[in-house]
Amino acid sequence: MLKNKGLALLGLILLFVGLSLSSCKSKFEKLRTSNDVAKKYQEAIKLYNKKDYTKALTLFDDLVQRYRGRSEAEDLYYYYAYTNYQLKDYLSARYHFKTFADTYPSSPKAEECRFMTAYCYYLDSPNFSLDQDNTYKAIESLQLFINIYPRSERVAEASKLILDLRDKLERKSYANAKLFLDIGDYQAAVIAFRNSMKDFPDTKFAEEMEYLIIEAQYLYAKNSREIKQEDRYNEALVEYERFTEKYPSSTYTEKAKKLKEDILKGIALTKEILATYSENKKVEKEDEQQQ
C-alpha cells in the first residue's frame, strides 16, 4: 500500500511539474504572438539578462522589424547583435554588429560594434590546415578598426589578434610548402619555401625551410634527366653554402653536410654518365663514317 501511495504521489508531482511547464510555455507563446511590443521588448531584455538567449532571440527577431525607425531601435539592435553572438552564431552576429556600426556611426556603442564585427571574423577563423578566407577577412576587419579608431583602448587587443591570425597564415604557408616536398613535387617545394619566407620574413620556420630547400633542390636534381642534373645539383650546392654561412651552428648542420656529400656524388656520377654517353655517341659516329 505504501508503494502505491508513493507512486501516486510521484504521479501528482510529475503532473504538477508538467502543468507548470506547459503554463510557462503557453505564457511565452502567448507573448510571442501578441502585438504588445512594449511588453515583448521588456521580456526580451529580461530573457537576455537571464541568459535565455534562444527565447530572447525569438522575440528580438520580431521586434527589430516593428521598432525600425523608432528611438528604441538603437538599443534593441545592440541587444539583437549580442544575442546572436552569445548563441555563437558569429556569421549573423558580425553582420548585425557591422549593420549597427554603419547605421549608428555616432553612437557610443559604434566603436565596440565595429570591433565585435572583426572579432566575430576572428572567432570564425578555422584551424590553419583549412581554408583561410575568414582569417584574411578578420585581419582586414581588425586593421580597418585600427584605422578608424587609432586611439581606441581596443587597438592593443586588435593588434594582438592580428598577430595571432598572421601566425596561423604563417603555419598554413609552411605546411603547404612542406606538402609539396612530401608528395615529391620538389621544384614546387623549392618555390613554395622561398615564397613562404618572402611572405613571412620573420617566420619561426626560416631555418628549417632553408635546410629543406637544400633537400628539395637535391631531390629535384636527382630525379631530373641526366643532361639537367649537374646544373641543378650545383644550385643545391649554392643553397648549402648559403645555409651554412647563415646558420653556422644549426641543428640541421649534420644533415646538411650529408646532403652536400650526396650532392657532390651526384655531380660526379652525372659527369661520368654524360662522359660515357658522349663517348658512345662519338664511337657510333665514327662507325657510321667507316661504313
Side-chain angles (χ1 to χ4, degrees):
M1 182 168 296
L2 288 173
K3 184 178 180 180
N4 290 336
K5 286 184 177 179
L7 290 173
L9 180 60
L10 178 61
L12 288 172
I13 292 172
L14 291 174
L15 179 61
F16 176 76
V17 171
L19 289 171
S20 297
L21 291 174
S22 176
S23 175
C24 291
K25 182 179 179 181
S26 298
K27 182 179 178 181
F28 176 77
E29 286 300 317
K30 185 177 180 180
L31 176 64
R32 186 184 68 82
T33 56
S34 76
N35 290 319
D36 191 343
V37 291
K39 187 175 181 180
K40 193 180 293 188
Y41 185 108
Q42 293 173 359
E43 186 62 24
I45 301 299
K46 286 180 182 178
L47 289 167
Y48 179 90
N49 291 330
K50 289 179 180 179
K51 300 184 179 181
D52 191 345
Y53 303 118
T54 301
K55 283 187 177 180
L57 183 64
T58 300
L59 298 181
F60 283 134
D61 276 335
D62 178 53
L63 289 170
V64 290
Q65 303 298 326
R66 295 174 181 248
Y67 272 84
R68 184 168 295 173
R70 295 171 59 171
S71 59
E72 300 94 331
E74 182 178 325
D75 284 342
L76 173 63
Y77 206 79
Y78 176 80
Y79 274 107
Y80 186 47
Y82 263 106
T83 303
N84 283 277
Y85 170 77
Q86 296 294 354
L87 288 169
K88 301 187 187 314
D89 182 358
Y90 302 126
L91 176 63
S92 296
R94 70 175 180 247
Y95 171 80
H96 295 305
F97 280 126
K98 183 180 184 303
T99 300
F100 182 98
D102 291 342
T103 306
Y104 308 104
S106 301
S107 169
K109 299 182 180 73
E111 177 190 319
E112 176 188 354
C113 287
R114 186 73 68 185
F115 175 82
M116 289 303 297
T117 301
Y119 188 59
C120 285
Y121 269 121
Y122 172 84
L123 292 174
D124 259 349
S125 173
N127 182 279
F128 77 89
S129 63
L130 302 175
D131 179 76
Q132 295 300 303
D133 185 53
N134 271 355
T135 302
Y136 285 107
K137 288 178 180 178
I139 292 174
E140 182 181 347
S141 192
L142 286 162
Q143 189 58 58
L144 176 63
F145 172 81
I146 293 171
N147 294 343
I148 296 175
Y149 303 101
R151 297 185 180 181
S152 169
E153 293 179 355
R154 296 183 175 89
V155 165
E157 185 178 357
S159 299
K160 184 179 178 181
L161 293 176
I162 288 175
L163 288 176
D164 186 42
L165 293 165
R166 283 186 61 81
D167 179 72
K168 190 178 293 188
L169 294 177
E170 179 185 325
R171 289 178 179 276
K172 176 74 171 179
S173 179
Y174 161 79
N176 285 347
K178 186 73 162 48
L179 180 62
F180 283 120
L181 181 60
D182 293 340
I183 65 175
D185 192 345
Y186 304 120
Q187 183 181 23
V190 171
I191 295 170
F193 282 129
R194 286 174 177 162
N195 286 340
S196 182
M197 289 188 291
K198 183 179 179 181
D199 293 338
F200 303 95
D202 298 323
T203 176
K204 64 179 76 64
F205 303 110
E207 184 176 341
E208 180 184 359
M209 285 197 288
E210 292 195 53
Y211 162 75
L212 290 174
I213 286 176
I214 306 171
E215 182 180 327
Q217 183 62 41
Y218 162 71
L219 292 170
Y220 177 46
K222 185 179 179 180
N223 289 277
S224 298
R225 293 169 56 195
E226 286 85 355
I227 196 170
K228 295 181 177 291
Q229 282 184 333
E230 186 175 354
D231 286 342
R232 290 171 182 175
Y233 276 129
N234 281 323
E235 287 180 31
L237 205 55
V238 170
E239 294 297 341
Y240 168 81
E241 297 297 340
R242 184 181 292 124
F243 177 82
T244 53
E245 182 179 346
K246 190 172 182 179
Y247 304 103
S249 302
S250 172
T251 54
Y252 298 97
T253 295
E254 292 305 315
K255 288 184 177 181
K257 285 181 179 178
K258 178 62 173 62
L259 275 176
K260 181 184 179 182
E261 292 174 5
D262 292 339
I263 291 166
L264 293 174
K265 288 177 183 177
I267 292 173
L269 181 60
T270 299
K271 286 182 176 180
E272 183 180 331
I273 291 172
L274 290 177
T276 301
Y277 176 79
S278 179
E279 184 63 28
N280 289 339
K281 279 291 185 181
K282 182 179 178 182
V283 171
E284 288 176 7
K285 187 175 182 181
E286 289 176 350
D287 289 344
E288 288 176 0
Q289 289 174 347
Q290 291 175 0
Q291 287 177 1

